[in-house]
Amino acid sequence: MLSRGNTAPMFFRILSKFPQSFSFCFAYGSGVKQQLGYGPVRSKRNMIDLIYVVDNAHRWHAANLDQNFEHYSGMRLLGGGLIAKYQETFGARVYFNTLVQIPEEDVIIKYGVVSTKDLLQDLTDWRSLYLAGRLHKPVEIIRNATSSKIQNAIEQNLRSAVHAALLLLPEKFTEFELYRAISSLSYSGDFRMIFGENKDKVNNIVRPQLENFRNLYAATFEQLHHCLELPFSGSDNQICTQDLSEATILAHLNGLPKWPIRLIVERQTSGRYRQDTEDILIGVSRSSNYQSIVASCLRSIVWRSSVWQSIKNIPTAGMSKSVRYSWAKALKTFS
């Protein structure tokens, strides 16, 4: 589903420097997947982003402090237990160490640590759409999931992304517009897109990776062949067509994860009275502005999680690294 490239040996050497008690690991971003305007993959200009999924955050951080004490900011003095609590309590429930030098590989990495239970919740519920959003796009799998629950949640997350994107698209669109809509789900509403990020970031992600997107979503599209016509033949400009009947729109709404549905229901009722969720979704499917309703709810999820995760990252990186990281992002944006 997600790829392994020629950089795999390098990744394995990097992973060997960390505690091995993690259940899943992937790399993402311009350091591993080509993006327009970001230079070649693995150039010194591009930091490699890694995510470690761990079953026990306390034990993992304690072991990592023993091995890589210098990776942590002043929060290392709190110990593995409090670091794990900080990770699992605030923001998108990911703890990042950034601007970590790996001199043997001549690379700089940023790595996040997330508990398996929190990753599963985001993939299935979209509570923060943070790591779920990263896994909407092609990534590099460094270690396959040891649990079928993770793999099943990843596949569910891809199906949810297609349901959401189709709700936001018109009847006819191109293949490129489809993947752009999917990739935009976790960027629309992200306050970092106001400053510090390239405004063409989504286009830059999708354009050079069309084949990777095709491979990633092929199985999901096959499941939706009854309502989605994708005449793909290698050109991203061919017109795709979707069914926009009320029944299909309702099916897409029901295909959304728990958190967006909850927000749709709350906003349609203004929290004043209880009403059956299915009745509310039927009403939305019949509404002429269903697209704006869905888009608004998704934006609010991303806005909240991006703000709080960014605030959370300041003490985990330390003030000096935070300034350097933000400056590096700004240079990429305006270069």
Side-chain angles (χ1 to χ4, degrees):
M1 181 194 67
L2 307 174
S3 67
R4 289 182 182 274
N6 294 329
T7 57
M10 182 266 294
F11 283 125
F12 295 152
R13 291 192 297 269
I14 291 176
L15 261 59
S16 70
K17 301 178 184 299
F18 292 88
Q20 296 302 295
S21 55
F22 53 91
S23 54
F24 181 50
C25 180
F26 66 92
Y28 64 95
S30 59
V32 293
K33 293 295 181 183
Q34 183 64 54
Q35 295 183 23
L36 296 181
Y38 281 82
V41 170
R42 278 207 65 196
S43 74
K44 291 183 179 180
R45 191 180 174 204
N46 299 332
M47 182 165 57
I48 294 175
D49 298 275
L50 291 166
I51 295 293
Y52 291 98
V53 182
V54 302
D55 292 334
N56 189 307
H58 181 175
R59 284 205 295 264
W60 198 90
H61 282 294
N64 197 40
L65 283 166
D66 288 339
Q67 285 186 239
N68 300 299
F69 189 72
E70 71 281 1
H71 290 183
Y72 290 80
S73 68
M75 290 192 68
R76 59 195 177 191
L77 301 177
L78 299 176
L82 288 179
I83 288 175
K85 187 171 184 180
Y86 186 74
Q87 170 192 310
E88 296 179 336
T89 303
F90 302 105
R93 300 176 182 177
V94 187
Y95 186 100
F96 281 104
N97 285 325
T98 191
L99 296 178
V100 174
Q101 300 274 353
I102 309 292
E104 300 88 341
E105 304 297 334
D106 194 25
V107 296
I108 298 174
I109 69 171
K110 177 182 76 175
Y111 64 93
V113 184
V114 64
S115 296
T116 302
K117 61 182 177 60
D118 292 326
L119 175 68
L120 290 173
Q121 183 182 56
D122 195 30
L123 290 173
T124 57
D125 294 353
W126 285 10
R127 187 179 185 276
S128 68
L129 246 179
Y130 194 81
L131 293 182
R134 280 154 178 76
L135 287 166
H136 288 163
K137 299 173 277 292
V139 301
E140 192 83 9
I141 298 298
I142 312 304
R143 178 177 292 180
N144 288 322
T146 59
S147 165
S148 61
K149 288 184 179 180
I150 294 177
Q151 186 58 46
N152 291 339
I154 289 172
E155 293 170 2
Q156 181 178 336
N157 181 49
L158 295 176
R159 290 192 295 272
S160 298
V162 174
H163 285 302
L166 291 176
L167 284 167
L168 301 177
L169 285 165
E171 181 180 9
K172 296 183 183 297
F173 47 87
T174 65
E175 181 187 12
F176 174 77
E177 289 170 335
L178 172 57
Y179 298 139
R180 185 175 62 187
I182 290 171
S183 298
S184 295
L185 295 173
S186 58
Y187 285 117
S188 298
D190 190 333
F191 92 102
R192 293 170 300 177
M193 297 301 290
I194 301 173
F195 59 90
E197 285 286 5
N198 190 324
K199 300 302 184 290
D200 291 324
K201 185 176 181 69
V202 175
N203 289 343
N204 293 343
I205 289 172
V206 175
R207 185 67 69 184
Q209 293 198 78
L210 285 170
E211 191 60 35
N212 289 334
F213 273 98
R214 289 179 186 129
N215 294 335
L216 184 59
Y217 283 96
T220 301
F221 292 152
E222 180 62 29
Q223 295 171 2
L224 295 174
H225 65 90
H226 59 284
C227 63
L228 180 62
E229 183 180 347
L230 304 175
F232 297 161
S233 62
S235 171
D236 64 325
N237 291 317
Q238 288 202 52
I239 299 301
C240 311
T241 305
Q242 66 163 321
D243 176 19
L244 289 184
S245 66
E246 290 178 5
T248 299
I249 294 170
L250 178 60
H252 289 321
L253 288 169
N254 279 308
L256 293 176
K258 172 183 175 181
W259 212 258
I261 289 178
R262 174 179 170 177
L263 286 181
I264 290 171
V265 170
E266 288 179 351
R267 293 186 178 192
Q268 292 304 110
T269 62
S270 301
R272 291 192 298 267
Y273 59 90
R274 295 181 62 84
Q275 188 176 348
D276 183 73
T277 295
E278 188 65 15
D279 288 342
I280 293 172
L281 295 183
I282 290 173
V284 171
S285 71
R286 295 172 176 172
S287 171
S288 60
N289 66 332
Y290 71 88
Q291 291 178 318
S292 63
I293 293 172
V294 173
S296 175
C297 290
L298 294 175
R299 282 197 303 270
S300 68
I301 293 172
V302 175
W303 172 265
R304 186 174 185 275
S305 67
S306 67
V307 168
W308 284 109
Q309 184 64 38
S310 294
I311 293 172
K312 173 182 179 176
N313 288 346
I314 295 173
T316 67
M319 187 55 67
S320 174
K321 282 189 176 181
S322 293
V323 171
R324 287 162 55 200
Y325 179 70
S326 298
W327 179 248
K329 295 286 280 188
L331 288 178
K332 281 187 178 182
T333 299
F334 296 109
S335 62

